[in-house]
Amino acid sequence: MPRTARTRSAELDITSSTAAHPRRTRDKGRSRTVAAGFLLPALLLLGALVVYPIGYSVQRSFFDRSGDSFVGLDNYIALVTDDSLRTAVRNNLIWLVLAPAVATALGLVFAVLTERVRWGTAFKLVVFMPMAISMLAAGIIFRLVYEQDPDRGVANAVWVGVHDTFAESSVFPRARPLPVHPLEAAEGGAFVTKVPVRAGEPVRLPLIGVAPGQMPENARPARENPPAPGTVAGTAWLDFTRGGGGRPNAVDPAELGLAGLRIEAVRDGAVVARATAAADGTFTLPADRVDGAVLRLPASNFREQYNGVEWLGPSLVTPAVIGAYVWMWAGFAMVLIGAGLAAVPRELLEAARVDGANEWQVFRRITVPLLAPVLAVVLVTLMINVLKVFDLVFVIAPGSAQDDANVLALQLYRSSFGTDADLGVGSAIAVLLLLLVVPVMVFNIRRLRQEARR
């Protein structure tokens, strides 16, 4: 049978494909060899820096402190029986719940609001700027922010300022009279005159115990205040002369008046008159009401000044450190959420507004559901990050509160280094951290792959 042109063409195609098959096989094998050559250094580094340490840590966690005796699960049992380790696990759970949620929520709010403000780009730059700071530097900054002394710590300076705006502060904390003074202690921290006052007789109210640097700025040198007719007058002053040489119960030229000292006249348990010492310590009371009464310096003059909140104390140290973390990572969440927000179709938002939805309804029912994949990625990424937090806790928490702020990563460091190191317990903590991080990391990878398929 004669062969047609189509038959001859098909035979030529089969012949050429058969000849090209070995060539393609050789090219594919060569490509794999090249790829393996490029990947080999990375695989060696991955094995040396990741796989081997993980395997060794798992093995070491079943041995004792010295590494000679097999102890089975004893090191893992210690994680739930030792008080410091239980505190670390509890604090890690607090971190896991609070820090990612707050940082993500703030990032969402910032991302939405910056679309509506004129200087949104500048605001984003300011919020994101803490990400350029290392954890160590941020820890040092917030250690100063949370300083107990209001003159040094910003947080307490603001808190004390707000408190003193609504609550009256003391004028002379720790001030007191000497035994030779005409004053004596009364109930509640007040001081009263030992004898009633009389019209026409000058009253002296000397005190000590006030550092010259703590005197009111308007204080002036004290002076005697001779009573005018129909008045009871006197002087309240700091009975202390720098360098010595002063006389007790006498107003010396170098001694300052107790400006702002509150004075009450008390008769039969009731306050009949009040006065406040002037800049030079002088005061005047009406004789018709005060004559024969006792003068009292109320305890409000001497109450300890409000010193703010103990941010780094046992009860608040963990929320305080979480606040520093949120300050750093809210900008990270804002940038990622802002990128997702830019991809949201504006037609949907405008359609909802046309249908009568207010801004809160648009945000809650449209913006947030459309951003759900991005929010999940941000939240999971921050969860992985907080499980490994170490720097902030180590730097911010003082030595007296480090046990209360303890987390697993910090306990891993404390258990693995130092004179009392126990590498068995340290390895068990490392394995626990790995087991906590891996599920979250797998979930995050699956989310990213799902997004890539879309």
Side-chain angles (χ1 to χ4, degrees):
M1 181 183 296
R3 293 183 300 171
T4 63
R6 182 175 298 177
T7 305
R8 287 196 300 271
S9 176
E11 290 176 351
L12 289 173
D13 289 342
I14 294 172
T15 304
S16 61
S17 62
T18 305
H21 180 70
R23 188 182 306 114
R24 285 202 301 269
T25 304
R26 288 195 301 271
D27 291 343
K28 188 180 296 185
R30 189 179 300 111
S31 299
R32 290 176 178 174
T33 303
V34 173
F38 278 107
L39 288 175
L40 184 60
L43 293 175
L44 291 176
L45 288 175
L46 185 66
L49 300 180
V50 177
V51 178
Y52 173 74
I54 290 175
Y56 180 77
S57 297
V58 173
Q59 176 192 358
R60 187 66 178 82
S61 66
F62 295 109
F63 288 81
D64 64 354
R65 182 191 301 265
S66 64
D68 298 328
S69 301
F70 181 81
V71 295
L73 298 177
D74 289 354
N75 291 324
Y76 292 94
I77 295 174
L79 299 181
V80 294
T81 56
D82 185 83
D83 290 338
S84 60
L85 292 172
R86 282 207 308 268
T87 301
V89 174
R90 184 195 66 207
N91 287 340
N92 259 104
L93 292 176
I94 294 174
W95 272 88
L96 196 62
V97 172
L98 287 182
V102 175
T104 304
L106 285 178
L108 175 62
V109 172
F110 291 156
V112 172
L113 293 182
T114 49
E115 285 199 333
R116 298 179 171 272
V117 298
R118 185 176 181 182
W119 301 101
T121 303
F123 181 81
K124 286 182 179 180
L125 178 64
V126 171
V127 175
F128 187 74
M129 195 176 296
M131 284 296 298
I133 304 174
S134 68
M135 285 280 196
L136 176 62
I140 294 173
I141 291 171
F142 273 86
R143 180 66 181 269
L144 295 175
V145 168
Y146 293 133
E147 184 72 36
Q148 180 69 40
D149 185 358
D151 294 331
R152 298 179 60 191
V154 176
N156 266 339
V158 174
W159 192 269
V160 170
V162 173
H163 174 273
D164 290 348
T165 301
F166 299 98
E168 192 175 30
S169 60
S170 61
V171 184
F172 304 103
R174 301 182 184 179
R176 63 191 184 280
L178 287 171
V180 297
H181 287 161
L183 292 165
E184 61 183 1
E187 293 182 1
F191 298 105
V192 298
T193 54
K194 296 177 180 178
V195 297
V197 297
R198 298 296 178 185
E201 298 179 0
V203 180
R204 294 184 176 90
L205 303 177
L207 292 173
I208 62 166
V210 182
Q214 295 178 341
M215 290 290 289
E217 294 181 358
N218 63 334
R220 298 291 180 267
R223 65 177 181 85
E224 292 283 0
N225 187 20
T231 63
V232 172
T235 304
W237 79 99
L238 181 63
D239 195 13
F240 172 80
T241 302
R242 282 188 175 184
R247 297 165 297 161
N249 291 328
V251 179
D252 297 305
E255 296 174 346
L256 298 176
L258 296 175
L261 186 74
R262 291 180 286 274
I263 303 159
E264 298 175 343
V266 180
R267 188 194 303 275
D268 298 328
V271 177
V272 295
R274 290 184 174 88
T276 302
D280 57 3
T282 58
F283 62 91
T284 303
L285 295 165
D288 56 341
R289 285 183 288 172
V290 177
D291 188 35
V294 171
L295 295 189
R296 180 174 67 187
L297 305 181
S300 59
N301 288 309
F302 315 110
R303 185 177 57 246
E304 288 286 346
Q305 290 182 335
Y306 183 66
N307 204 35
V309 177
E310 193 178 3
W311 299 103
L312 299 182
S315 58
L316 290 178
V317 62
T318 295
V321 181
I322 291 176
Y325 177 89
V326 170
W327 175 77
M328 289 190 66
W329 287 88
F332 167 82
M334 178 195 67
V335 170
L336 293 187
I337 296 171
L341 191 61
V344 172
R346 302 302 173 194
E347 297 81 5
L348 295 177
L349 305 181
E350 294 302 327
R353 294 188 181 100
V354 170
D355 289 341
N358 57 36
E359 292 301 322
W360 169 247
Q361 291 173 328
V362 171
F363 173 76
R364 184 167 61 92
R365 295 184 179 276
I366 298 178
T367 305
V368 172
L370 290 176
L371 289 176
V374 178
L375 294 176
V377 171
V378 173
L379 189 64
V380 172
T381 302
L382 292 179
M383 290 173 66
I384 295 173
N385 187 267
V386 299
L387 285 172
K388 304 178 292 182
V389 69
F390 163 78
D391 318 57
L392 285 178
V393 181
F394 184 72
V395 176
I396 294 177
S400 59
Q402 244 184 34
D403 286 340
D404 300 286
N406 199 13
V407 290
L408 285 174
L410 178 59
Q411 186 59 40
L412 169 61
Y413 169 79
R414 296 168 69 178
S415 298
S416 302
F417 299 95
T419 56
D420 195 32
D422 188 339
L423 293 180
V425 174
S427 299
I429 297 174
V431 173
L432 176 62
L433 274 175
L434 177 66
L435 294 177
L436 292 174
V437 169
V438 166
V440 184
M441 184 174 62
V442 170
F443 174 79
N444 201 25
I445 293 173
R446 291 183 62 185
R447 293 285 308 182
L448 291 174
R449 287 180 175 175
Q450 289 175 0
E451 290 299 317
R453 293 193 191 101
R454 294 179 184 176

